[in-house]
């Protein structure tokens, strides 16, 4: 973990491979759900926006990555440039915004979470594409801030409680628990 913390990790580092595997297994699950439930407009938009968020994680951590959708048939798809992955993430979010719910949700994609994804995408656009998009990042963040749906918690630690569904600050939660998904618990153990 010291090497990873210092960004001196090796290609064989288990955590680096695990991050890649987690993202692509999530994408595979989302693609399968799109094949099965993709005729429902709300679910389709939630799944496509969620997949875009995972691709943002891949873009941020690895740079050039293959883009795999529910229609991909190539078993060894070509790696796409950061610009192409950026465009895929942005388009996936923007084309699905109108179908996403403008309501607080827990553990599901909504309009505000999609705005957060756009804000982070635009915040790092200069690195990903060579063209900064600071104003777009600020505008997407302002959509969430001024909505009145989310606000800063008065008790910071409430965001990190085992049962944090009542947090007014958390925009998107991954439900890691013994029922829904076991996961990386080093932070819990320390």
């Amino acid at each position: 973990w010291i090497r990873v913390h210092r960004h001196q990790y090796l290609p064989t580092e288990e955590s680096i491979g695990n991050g890649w595997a987690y993202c692509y297994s999530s994408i595979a699950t989302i693609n399968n759900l799109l094949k099965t439930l993709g005729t429902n407009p709300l679910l389709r938009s939630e799944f496509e926006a969620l997949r875009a968020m995972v691709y943002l994680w891949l873009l941020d951590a690895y740079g050039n990555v293959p883009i795999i959708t529910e229609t991909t048939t190539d078993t060894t798809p070509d790696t796409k440039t950061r610009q192409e992955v950026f465009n895929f993430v942005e388009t996936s979010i923007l084309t699905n915004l109108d179908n996403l719910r403008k309501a607080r949700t827990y553990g599901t994609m909504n309009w505000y979470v999609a705005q957060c994804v756009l804000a982070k995408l635009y915040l790092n656009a200069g690195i990903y594409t060579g063209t900064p998009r600071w104003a777009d990042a600020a505008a997407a963040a302002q959509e969430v801030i001024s909505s009145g749906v989310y606000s800063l918690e008065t008790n910071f630690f409430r965001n990190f409680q085992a049962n944090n569904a009542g947090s007014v600050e958390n925009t998107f939660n991954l439900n890691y628990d013994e029922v829904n998904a076991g996961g990386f618990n080093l932070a819990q153990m320390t």
Side-chain angles (χ1 to χ4, degrees), residues 23-40:
C23 287
Y24 275 104
S25 67
S26 297
I27 289 167
T29 299
I30 293 165
N31 286 339
N32 285 330
L33 288 167
L34 281 165
K35 286 181 186 178
T36 307
L37 305 170
T39 57
N40 178 306

Side-chain angles (χ1 to χ4, degrees), residues 6 8 10 12 31 40 60 62 69 79 82 85 95 113 123-124 130 132 147 150 166 168 188:
R6 292 180 178 160
Q8 298 169 335
L10 307 170
T12 56
N31 286 339
N40 178 306
D60 199 45
Y62 302 98
T69 68
T79 298
R82 273 187 153 177
V85 180
T95 59
V113 177
L123 187 63
N124 293 302
S147 71
Y150 297 95
V168 295
Q188 295 169 345

Side-chain angles (χ1 to χ4, degrees), residues 70-133:
E70 71 279 12
T71 60
T72 301
T73 57
D74 187 350
T75 57
T76 56
D78 292 335
T79 298
K80 302 299 182 185
T81 66
R82 273 187 153 177
Q83 179 71 60
E84 290 171 305
V85 180
F86 178 95
N87 293 345
F88 178 79
V89 171
E90 181 182 38
T91 300
S92 295
I93 296 293
L94 293 176
T95 59
N96 287 292
L97 268 177
D98 289 342
N99 289 335
L100 296 173
R101 290 176 281 180
K102 278 192 171 182
R104 178 189 303 276
T105 59
Y106 186 79
T108 60
M109 180 63 65
N110 65 33
W111 191 88
Y112 302 103
V113 177
Q115 290 291 344
C116 291
V117 172
L118 283 176
K120 183 172 180 183
L121 179 71
Y122 295 145
L123 187 63
N124 293 302
I127 300 298
Y128 303 148
T129 70
T131 305
R133 299 209 23 208

